[in-house]
Coordinates of all heavy atoms in Angstrom, one line a residue:
E1 N 123.5 103.0 75.7 CA 123.3 103.6 74.3 C 122.3 102.8 73.5 O 121.5 103.4 72.8 CB 124.6 103.7 73.6 CG 125.5 104.8 74.0 CD 126.8 104.8 73.3 OE1 127.3 103.7 72.7 OE2 127.5 105.9 73.2
R2 N 122.3 101.5 73.7 CA 121.4 100.6 72.9 C 120.0 100.9 73.4 O 119.1 101.0 72.5 CB 121.7 99.2 73.2 CG 120.8 98.2 72.5 CD 121.2 96.8 72.8 NE 120.2 95.9 72.2 CZ 119.1 95.5 72.8 NH1 118.8 96.0 74.0 NH2 118.2 94.7 72.2
R3 N 119.7 101.0 74.7 CA 118.4 101.3 75.2 C 117.9 102.7 74.7 O 116.7 102.8 74.3 CB 118.4 101.3 76.7 CG 118.6 99.9 77.2 CD 118.4 99.8 78.7 NE 117.0 100.1 79.0 CZ 116.6 100.4 80.2 NH1 117.5 100.4 81.2 NH2 115.3 100.6 80.5
I4 N 118.8 103.6 74.7 CA 118.3 105.0 74.3 C 118.1 105.0 72.7 O 117.2 105.6 72.3 CB 119.4 106.0 74.7 CG1 119.3 106.2 76.2 CG2 119.2 107.4 74.0 CD1 120.2 107.1 76.8
R5 N 118.9 104.3 72.0 CA 118.7 104.2 70.5 C 117.3 103.5 70.2 O 116.6 103.9 69.4 CB 119.8 103.5 69.9 CG 119.8 103.5 68.4 CD 121.0 102.8 67.7 NE 121.3 101.5 68.2 CZ 122.3 101.2 69.0 NH1 123.2 102.1 69.4 NH2 122.5 99.9 69.4
L6 N 117.0 102.4 71.0 CA 115.8 101.7 70.8 C 114.6 102.6 71.2 O 113.5 102.6 70.5 CB 115.7 100.4 71.6 CG 116.5 99.3 71.1 CD1 116.5 98.1 72.0 CD2 116.0 98.9 69.7
E7 N 114.8 103.4 72.2 CA 113.7 104.3 72.6 C 113.5 105.4 71.6 O 112.4 105.8 71.3 CB 114.0 105.0 74.0 CG 113.0 105.9 74.5 CD 111.7 105.2 74.8 OE1 111.6 104.0 75.1 OE2 110.6 105.9 74.8
G8 N 114.6 105.8 70.9 CA 114.4 106.8 69.8 C 113.6 106.2 68.7 O 112.7 106.9 68.1
W9 N 113.9 105.0 68.3 CA 113.1 104.3 67.3 C 111.7 104.1 67.7 O 110.8 104.3 66.9 CB 113.7 103.0 66.9 CG 114.9 103.2 65.9 CD1 116.2 102.9 66.2 CD2 114.8 103.6 64.6 NE1 117.0 103.2 65.1 CE2 116.1 103.7 64.1 CE3 113.8 104.0 63.7 CZ2 116.4 104.1 62.8 CZ3 114.1 104.4 62.4 CH2 115.4 104.4 62.0
R10 N 111.5 103.9 68.9 CA 110.1 103.7 69.5 C 109.3 105.0 69.3 O 108.2 105.0 69.0 CB 110.2 103.2 70.9 CG 108.9 102.8 71.5 CD 109.1 102.1 72.8 NE 107.9 101.9 73.4 CZ 107.6 102.2 74.6 NH1 108.4 102.9 75.4 NH2 106.4 102.0 75.1
L11 N 110.0 106.1 69.6 CA 109.4 107.4 69.5 C 109.0 107.7 68.0 O 108.0 108.3 67.7 CB 110.3 108.5 70.0 CG 110.4 108.6 71.5 CD1 111.5 109.6 71.9 CD2 109.1 109.1 72.1
V12 N 109.9 107.4 67.1 CA 109.7 107.6 65.7 C 108.4 106.8 65.3 O 107.6 107.3 64.5 CB 110.9 107.2 64.8 CG1 110.6 107.1 63.4 CG2 112.0 108.2 65.1
L13 N 108.4 105.5 65.7 CA 107.2 104.7 65.3 C 105.9 105.2 66.0 O 104.9 105.0 65.4 CB 107.5 103.2 65.7 CG 108.6 102.6 64.8 CD1 109.0 101.2 65.4 CD2 108.1 102.4 63.4
M14 N 106.0 105.7 67.2 CA 104.8 106.3 67.8 C 104.3 107.4 67.0 O 103.1 107.6 66.8 CB 105.2 106.8 69.3 CG 105.2 105.8 70.3 SD 105.6 106.6 71.9 CE 105.5 105.3 73.0
A15 N 105.2 108.3 66.6 CA 104.8 109.5 65.8 C 104.2 109.0 64.4 O 103.2 109.5 64.0 CB 106.0 110.4 65.5
A16 N 104.8 108.0 63.8 CA 104.3 107.4 62.6 C 102.9 106.8 62.8 O 102.0 107.1 61.9 CB 105.3 106.4 62.0
S17 N 102.7 106.1 63.8 CA 101.4 105.5 64.1 C 100.4 106.6 64.3 O 99.2 106.4 63.8 CB 101.5 104.5 65.2 OG 101.7 105.2 66.4
L18 N 100.7 107.6 65.0 CA 99.8 108.7 65.2 C 99.4 109.4 63.9 O 98.2 109.6 63.6 CB 100.4 109.7 66.2 CG 99.5 110.9 66.5 CD1 98.3 110.5 67.3 CD2 100.3 111.9 67.4
V19 N 100.4 109.6 63.0 CA 100.1 110.2 61.7 C 99.3 109.3 60.9 O 98.3 109.7 60.2 CB 101.4 110.6 61.0 CG1 101.2 111.0 59.6 CG2 102.1 111.8 61.8
L20 N 99.6 108.0 60.9 CA 98.9 107.0 60.1 C 97.4 106.9 60.5 O 96.5 106.9 59.7 CB 99.5 105.7 60.1 CG 100.8 105.5 59.3 CD1 101.5 104.3 59.7 CD2 100.4 105.5 57.8
M21 N 97.2 106.9 61.9 CA 95.8 106.8 62.3 C 95.0 108.0 62.1 O 93.8 107.9 61.7 CB 95.8 106.5 63.8 CG 96.2 105.0 64.1 SD 96.0 104.6 65.8 CE 97.7 104.7 66.4
T22 N 95.6 109.2 62.2 CA 95.0 110.4 61.8 C 94.6 110.5 60.3 O 93.5 110.8 59.9 CB 95.8 111.6 62.2 OG1 96.2 111.6 63.6 CG2 95.1 112.9 61.9
G23 N 95.6 110.0 59.5 CA 95.3 109.9 58.1 C 94.2 109.0 57.7 O 93.4 109.2 56.8
L24 N 94.2 107.9 58.5 CA 93.1 106.9 58.3 C 91.7 107.4 58.6 O 90.8 107.2 57.8 CB 93.4 105.7 59.1 CG 92.5 104.5 59.1 CD1 92.5 103.9 57.6 CD2 92.9 103.4 60.1
V25 N 91.6 108.2 59.6 CA 90.3 108.8 60.0 C 89.9 109.8 58.9 O 88.8 109.8 58.5 CB 90.4 109.4 61.4 CG1 89.2 110.3 61.7 CG2 90.6 108.4 62.5
F26 N 90.8 110.7 58.6 CA 90.4 111.7 57.6 C 90.2 111.0 56.2 O 89.3 111.5 55.5 CB 91.5 112.8 57.4 CG 91.5 113.8 58.5 CD1 92.5 113.8 59.5 CD2 90.4 114.7 58.6 CE1 92.4 114.7 60.5 CE2 90.4 115.6 59.6 CZ 91.4 115.6 60.6
S27 N 90.9 110.0 55.9 CA 90.7 109.3 54.6 C 89.3 108.7 54.6 O 88.6 108.7 53.5 CB 91.8 108.3 54.3 OG 93.0 108.9 54.2
A28 N 88.9 108.1 55.7 CA 87.6 107.5 55.7 C 86.5 108.5 55.6 O 85.5 108.2 54.9 CB 87.4 106.7 57.1
F29 N 86.7 109.7 56.2 CA 85.6 110.7 56.0 C 85.6 111.3 54.6 O 84.5 111.8 54.2 CB 85.9 111.8 57.1 CG 85.4 111.4 58.4 CD1 86.3 111.6 59.5 CD2 84.2 110.9 58.7 CE1 85.9 111.3 60.8 CE2 83.8 110.5 59.9 CZ 84.6 110.7 61.0
L30 N 86.7 111.3 54.0 CA 86.8 111.9 52.6 C 86.4 111.0 51.5 O 86.3 111.3 50.4 CB 88.2 112.5 52.4 CG 88.6 113.7 53.2 CD1 90.1 114.0 52.9 CD2 87.7 114.9 52.9
G31 N 86.2 109.7 51.9 CA 85.7 108.8 50.9 C 86.8 108.2 50.0 O 86.6 108.0 48.8
V32 N 88.0 108.0 50.5 CA 89.1 107.5 49.8 C 88.8 106.0 49.4 O 88.1 105.3 50.2 CB 90.4 107.6 50.6 CG1 91.6 106.9 50.0 CG2 90.7 109.0 50.9
P33 N 89.3 105.5 48.3 CA 89.0 104.1 47.9 C 89.5 103.1 48.9 O 90.4 103.3 49.7 CB 89.9 104.0 46.6 CG 90.1 105.3 46.1 CD 90.1 106.2 47.3
A34 N 88.8 102.0 48.9 CA 89.0 100.9 49.9 C 90.5 100.4 50.0 O 91.0 100.2 51.1 CB 88.0 99.8 49.7
P35 N 91.2 100.2 48.9 CA 92.5 99.7 48.9 C 93.5 100.7 49.7 O 94.4 100.3 50.4 CB 93.0 99.6 47.5 CG 91.7 99.4 46.7 CD 90.7 100.2 47.5
V36 N 93.2 102.0 49.6 CA 94.1 103.0 50.3 C 93.8 102.9 51.8 O 94.7 102.9 52.6 CB 93.8 104.4 49.8 CG1 94.6 105.4 50.6 CG2 94.2 104.5 48.3
L37 N 92.5 102.7 52.1 CA 92.1 102.6 53.6 C 92.7 101.3 54.1 O 93.2 101.3 55.3 CB 90.6 102.6 53.7 CG 89.9 103.9 53.5 CD1 88.4 103.7 53.6 CD2 90.3 104.9 54.5
L38 N 92.7 100.3 53.4 CA 93.3 99.0 53.8 C 94.8 99.2 54.0 O 95.3 98.7 55.1 CB 93.0 97.9 52.8 CG 93.5 96.5 53.2 CD1 92.9 96.0 54.5 CD2 93.3 95.5 52.1
L39 N 95.5 99.8 53.1 CA 96.9 100.0 53.3 C 97.2 100.9 54.5 O 98.1 100.5 55.3 CB 97.5 100.7 52.0 CG 98.9 101.1 52.1 CD1 99.8 99.9 52.1 CD2 99.3 102.0 50.9
L40 N 96.5 101.9 54.7 CA 96.7 102.8 55.9 C 96.4 102.0 57.2 O 97.1 102.1 58.2 CB 95.8 104.0 55.9 CG 96.2 105.1 54.9 CD1 95.1 106.2 54.8 CD2 97.5 105.7 55.3
R41 N 95.4 101.2 57.2 CA 95.1 100.3 58.3 C 96.2 99.4 58.6 O 96.6 99.2 59.8 CB 93.7 99.6 58.1 CG 93.2 98.9 59.3 CD 91.9 98.2 59.0 NE 90.9 99.2 58.6 CZ 89.8 98.9 57.9 NH1 89.6 97.7 57.4 NH2 89.0 99.9 57.6
V42 N 96.7 98.7 57.6 CA 97.8 97.7 57.8 C 99.0 98.4 58.3 O 99.7 97.9 59.3 CB 98.1 96.9 56.5 CG1 99.4 96.2 56.6 CG2 96.9 96.0 56.2
L43 N 99.4 99.6 57.8 CA 100.5 100.3 58.2 C 100.4 100.8 59.6 O 101.3 100.7 60.4 CB 100.8 101.5 57.3 CG 101.3 101.1 55.9 CD1 101.5 102.4 55.0 CD2 102.7 100.4 56.0
A44 N 99.2 101.2 60.0 CA 99.0 101.7 61.4 C 99.1 100.5 62.4 O 99.7 100.7 63.4 CB 97.6 102.3 61.5
I45 N 98.5 99.4 62.0 CA 98.6 98.2 62.9 C 100.1 97.8 63.0 O 100.6 97.5 64.1 CB 97.8 97.1 62.4 CG1 96.3 97.4 62.5 CG2 98.1 95.7 63.1 CD1 95.3 96.5 61.8
L46 N 100.8 97.8 61.9 CA 102.2 97.4 62.0 C 103.1 98.3 62.8 O 104.0 97.9 63.6 CB 102.8 97.2 60.6 CG 102.3 96.0 59.8 CD1 102.9 96.1 58.4 CD2 102.7 94.7 60.4
S47 N 102.8 99.6 62.7 CA 103.6 100.6 63.5 C 103.3 100.5 65.0 O 104.2 100.5 65.8 CB 103.3 102.0 63.0 OG 102.0 102.4 63.2

């Protein structure tokens, strides 16, 4: 159960990192301010 629970959290974090990286790319193309890009970058790296 512990392994399956950890794998579930891993899947959640994989999805979050995918969303964050996609958001980072679109934000860079749309010209979002630098602090927002930095925040997205840090969150993507942490995930």
Side-chain angles (χ1 to χ4, degrees):
E1 280 178 342
R2 179 181 175 274
R3 291 185 69 192
I4 290 180
R5 187 175 52 250
L6 285 176
E7 183 64 23
W9 279 110
R10 190 168 172 236
L11 286 170
V12 168
L13 289 169
M14 279 181 175
S17 67
L18 181 62
V19 169
L20 284 167
M21 285 187 258
T22 304
L24 182 62
V25 169
F26 282 110
S27 298
F29 284 130
L30 292 175
V32 175
V36 175
L37 288 175
L38 181 63
L39 176 66
L40 285 173
R41 188 178 300 155
V42 167
L43 289 174
I45 290 170
L46 289 175
S47 63

